[in-house]
Amino acid sequence: MATETPHRRKACAVDPERGTLDKAAGENFPVAPFFLPRAWRDDLMAVYGFARLVDDIGDGDLAPGGADARLLGVAPEQAEDRLALLDAYEADLRRVFDGTPRHPILRRLRTTVRRRSLTPGPFLGLIAANRQDQLVSRYETYDDLLAYCELSANPVGRLVLAVTGTATPERIRRSDAVCTALQIVEHLQDVTEDLARDRIYLPAEDMKRFRVQEADLAAKNAGASVRALIAYETQRARDLLNEGAPLVGSVNGRLKLLLAGFVAGGKAAVRAIAAAEFDVLPGPPKPGKAQLLREAGATLRGEG
């Protein structure tokens, strides 16, 4: 995410809708790139605004001043209560489908929902994921983590396919693989940041297998056991990206470029983690633009 400046924080407090949407520029993936048709860009930004705000609620990253809480009808004494905010956000989301929502982000989304005939399911999944983040901070098995990604990541890809009118069962399956991979990669990049929030997204059974203790994740640099664990989880993400990559070849035109960007971003991040010798503890290993372009070209050519 982009670094918050005092000016940006003030702007967010004055205009929470603009403040949320402006965060798109700091994301690790293309939200609504210029080469897409204007209608797609508008609708993808509306979907992004919803997803960004629900994540900000779940992470406690709302702009200061309580504007979002007021817009959602949350009492001042509950303005810092993430579960209360998520409940109010879900109630306002339901108004998108059967009334008039209060928050401007959701009023923007209502236009997209009607134009694209979107259903509540993916949006409710994203809220459920953030609600889960308030209640669950550790995952025992890889399957448990996959179930979390089904809520936290896969709805985004499904919404992209729905907005562009290209959803089929096979594309959804491939999209789910890509989105889960991207979520796992982000967790691997953000081990230190997540630990600071008392969250660990590395499966406990894998930590035991590689003899990694939670205290090992708090070190300045990763020891051999942590590196081996990160390498193992990175390979899982790589396999999911390869499973999902044929999604790119199943579409044409500008959508193909967008989806190639998602897959390439994941593959470039995987290479960056490997280039750091799987030591993610000093900070997130990030790929450079040249690596991203190389991966995008290889993805468009259908190369592994």
Side-chain angles (χ1 to χ4, degrees):
M1 291 175 57
T3 301
E4 291 278 283
T5 64
H7 175 74
R8 172 172 284 189
R9 285 195 296 270
K10 182 177 179 181
C12 292
V14 173
D15 184 356
E17 179 187 20
R18 188 73 262 153
T20 298
L21 296 176
D22 282 350
K23 293 181 180 181
E27 298 291 354
N28 293 329
F29 53 87
V31 174
F34 70 93
F35 56 77
L36 294 179
R38 176 62 184 270
W40 282 8
R41 295 203 310 272
D42 289 347
D43 289 336
L44 290 173
M45 281 301 296
V47 168
Y48 169 79
F50 171 87
R52 180 68 272 163
L53 185 56
V54 73
D55 279 354
D56 286 348
I57 293 172
D59 289 339
D61 287 339
L62 292 176
D68 292 295
R70 288 193 297 274
L71 285 166
L72 292 171
V74 175
E77 62 271 20
Q78 291 186 300
E80 302 297 325
D81 185 332
R82 299 180 192 179
L83 287 172
L85 286 164
L86 289 168
D87 288 346
Y89 198 49
E90 180 176 331
D92 211 28
L93 169 68
R94 295 187 185 279
R95 295 185 192 101
V96 169
F97 296 89
D98 61 14
T100 302
R102 295 170 173 172
H103 200 289
I105 287 288
L106 293 174
R107 289 200 294 271
R108 173 189 289 262
L109 181 64
R110 183 177 58 169
T111 300
T112 292
V113 162
R114 292 179 175 178
R115 179 159 51 207
R116 305 298 180 184
S117 299
L118 303 182
T119 59
F123 301 106
L124 291 171
L126 294 172
I127 293 175
N130 279 273
R131 192 176 281 120
Q132 185 166 314
D133 274 335
Q134 312 313 309
L135 306 172
V136 180
S137 60
R138 307 290 190 275
Y139 290 86
E140 181 61 31
T141 69
Y142 182 60
D143 285 344
D144 292 339
L145 185 64
L146 293 181
Y148 170 73
C149 293
E150 180 71 23
L151 298 173
S152 68
N154 298 0
V156 176
R158 295 183 180 207
L159 285 167
V160 170
L161 294 176
V163 163
T164 57
T166 55
T168 66
E170 178 63 10
R171 285 177 181 148
I172 289 171
R173 186 180 73 81
R174 299 286 189 183
S175 171
D176 285 354
V178 171
C179 290
T180 292
L182 294 176
Q183 180 76 88
I184 291 173
V185 167
E186 184 177 343
H187 288 159
L188 296 176
Q189 291 175 314
D190 294 342
V191 167
T192 298
E193 179 182 334
D194 289 334
L195 187 63
R197 299 180 188 270
D198 192 31
R199 296 176 187 170
I200 296 177
Y201 294 101
L202 299 167
E205 64 177 8
D206 296 341
M207 291 177 64
K208 292 174 186 174
R209 174 182 175 182
F210 287 93
R211 300 181 181 180
V212 172
Q213 304 293 322
E214 290 192 12
D216 298 328
L217 303 179
K220 291 184 178 180
N221 291 96
S225 58
V226 173
R227 291 174 192 247
L229 171 62
I230 298 300
Y232 179 72
E233 306 299 348
T234 299
Q235 184 60 49
R236 281 177 154 169
R238 183 185 289 112
D239 290 344
L240 283 168
L241 284 168
N242 289 335
E243 179 185 340
L247 172 67
V248 176
S250 76
V251 299
N252 298 303
R254 287 176 279 189
L255 178 59
K256 186 169 188 171
L257 292 176
L258 178 68
L259 298 183
F262 292 146
V263 174
K267 289 187 173 182
V270 162
R271 289 189 185 275
I273 292 171
E277 298 181 338
F278 305 103
D279 185 2
V280 297
L281 300 188
K286 299 282 188 178
K289 288 185 178 180
Q291 183 64 53
L292 283 167
L293 289 173
R294 284 194 295 271
E295 292 292 349
T299 300
L300 287 168
R301 293 189 298 271
E303 299 173 2

